[in-house]
Amino acid sequence: MSAMTQQARPRRIDLLGVATASGASVRGCGMGPEALRVAGLVEALMELEHVVADHGDLRRPQPELSLDPSSTRLPDERKADVLDLAARASDAGLAILQDGYFPLFIGGDHSISMGTISAVARHCAPKGKPVHVIWVDAHADYNTPDTSPSGNLHGMPLALLCGETEFDESFRGAWLGRIDPHDVTIFGARSIDREERRLVQARGVDVVDMRKIDQLGVVAALQKVIDKARAAGAHLHVSFDVDSIDPAIAPGGGTLVPGGLTYREAHLVMEMLHDSGLVGSLDVVELNPFLDHGGKTATLMVDLVASLFGRSIMGEEAGPVEFITEG
């Protein structure tokens, strides 16, 4: 019997929203979790015969009323929000994983991954199980406070999680789990800052940029990532940013870059990840309904998540493909 046939379908998918835009420079993606629910995320998963538990949203405490919009709050205040939510998301995600369920984190800007991937790392570390991350994104998000041109924390989560030393003590704590940069693949990149590029190369992060995808095709490019994770016996975490998709079909993001994944390429990524049977957790981030066009991007993201969880074009039985869950 193959490794795939031995996996068990999750008894339950646990949905956790992290409603924040504190890591970003553009307001609006804090509304992303609710937009995904309105677009039918829970119903799509239930139609696939998954049991879904919705834990609602983590969010920062309501600030005092002020004439200043939240996008202009002081950087230290926004940083405190990001780290508070990271610690809470890490603890909540760890509890979901320890109960044997599949955590589906919906954001919110990409800074939420400081907490979500931390939860996975904390869960897997005592078992000696490696964590592999596929970061589907137009950006590398591997800046540090020293290298970031903008200072926005949604451009730094991978660097923090991979242990870059420029982060001061305020970024550390029992909530923070680490991952090995050699076990990270950035998929679909097409906008990486100069100093960030040097760090990524120095640390051995695998970058499958859009040129490689154009040259190799999605199947060959992604199969290498899947094969590496399978050979390592890894828990595969998928962190999917809206801006990985071409803005022509996914306009609802705050940091859009032309030339992204097409509709079919994005679905193929999710279908192949489902077929791998290796995925144990998922982030969906950076949906900004304020910038979306009539829910176009939210609906697409729901469809993509459904592909990851087994929706097929013809509706045939998925066969032996299942997900890993561990108590």
Side-chain angles (χ1 to χ4, degrees):
M1 184 176 289
S2 71
M4 284 191 297
T5 62
Q6 295 172 359
Q7 311 308 336
R9 180 181 289 269
R11 295 184 294 274
R12 193 172 80 181
I13 298 168
D14 278 34
L15 189 68
L16 179 66
V18 188
T20 182
S22 291
S25 59
V26 178
R27 290 195 296 171
C29 58
M31 301 184 291
E34 191 59 25
L36 288 168
R37 292 186 181 94
V38 171
L41 177 60
V42 172
E43 292 83 352
L45 296 172
M46 293 178 66
E47 285 174 0
L48 294 167
E49 300 183 351
H50 296 289
V51 175
V52 180
D54 190 344
H55 294 264
D57 295 341
L58 301 177
R59 58 181 71 242
R60 64 182 174 90
Q62 187 65 30
E64 294 183 7
L65 295 179
S66 169
L67 292 175
D68 294 328
S70 63
S71 62
T72 61
R73 295 170 71 233
L74 294 174
D76 285 348
E77 294 177 314
R78 294 169 60 194
K79 173 184 168 183
D81 290 343
V82 167
L83 294 179
D84 172 65
L85 287 168
R88 292 160 62 194
S90 180
D91 287 345
L94 179 61
I96 292 168
L97 288 159
Q98 289 179 335
D99 285 341
Y101 303 136
F102 186 109
L104 168 50
F105 305 101
I106 53 176
D109 68 71
H110 220 152
S111 70
I112 75 166
S113 294
M114 292 179 179
T116 65
I117 296 176
S118 168
V120 177
R122 292 168 66 196
H123 175 68
C124 292
K127 306 171 185 294
K129 189 177 185 68
V131 176
H132 284 213
V133 174
I134 178 165
W135 194 267
V136 187
D137 199 327
H139 308 88
D141 293 344
Y142 207 96
N143 271 303
T144 71
D146 292 340
T147 67
S148 173
S150 68
N152 292 322
L153 291 176
H154 72 162
M156 303 185 195
L158 270 182
L160 174 66
L161 290 161
C162 290
E164 292 299 326
T165 58
E166 287 85 356
F167 294 91
D168 62 33
E169 289 302 315
S170 65
F171 286 91
R172 310 186 195 286
W175 64 271
L176 180 57
R178 301 289 194 186
I179 53 174
D180 187 331
H182 293 93
D183 295 335
V184 175
T185 301
I186 298 164
F187 195 91
R190 52 198 187 277
S191 177
I192 302 178
D193 298 319
R194 183 178 62 179
E195 294 302 318
E196 184 182 30
R197 184 183 303 114
R198 292 176 180 172
L199 265 182
V200 164
Q201 292 173 333
R203 301 299 183 255
V205 175
D206 187 21
V207 180
V208 181
D209 60 18
M210 286 306 301
R211 174 171 176 168
K212 286 185 181 178
I213 292 171
D214 289 342
Q215 291 176 321
L216 300 176
V218 165
V219 172
L222 186 57
Q223 193 62 51
K224 291 181 180 179
V225 181
I226 291 169
D227 290 346
K228 180 181 176 181
R230 177 172 288 117
H235 175 120
L236 183 58
H237 177 92
V238 179
S239 196
F240 200 103
D241 191 314
V242 165
D243 69 26
S244 63
I245 309 170
D246 194 85
I249 59 171
T255 52
L256 301 179
V257 184
L261 297 170
T262 67
Y263 179 89
R264 272 308 310 156
E265 285 174 334
H267 271 287
L268 185 54
V269 166
M270 295 307 226
E271 291 160 357
M272 287 182 66
L273 289 169
H274 171 264
D275 291 349
S276 76
L278 297 174
V279 178
S281 46
L282 170 67
D283 302 330
V284 179
V285 300
E286 297 282 356
L287 172 63
N288 189 328
F290 186 74
L291 301 174
D292 202 3
H293 298 171
K296 178 179 181 179
T297 309
T299 301
L300 173 58
M301 295 308 294
V302 168
D303 288 343
L304 289 171
V305 171
S307 287
L308 180 67
F309 282 97
R311 181 187 287 173
S312 55
I313 293 172
M314 294 298 294
E316 68 270 21
E317 291 296 322
V321 179
E322 306 294 351
F323 287 95
I324 294 174
T325 58
E326 295 177 329

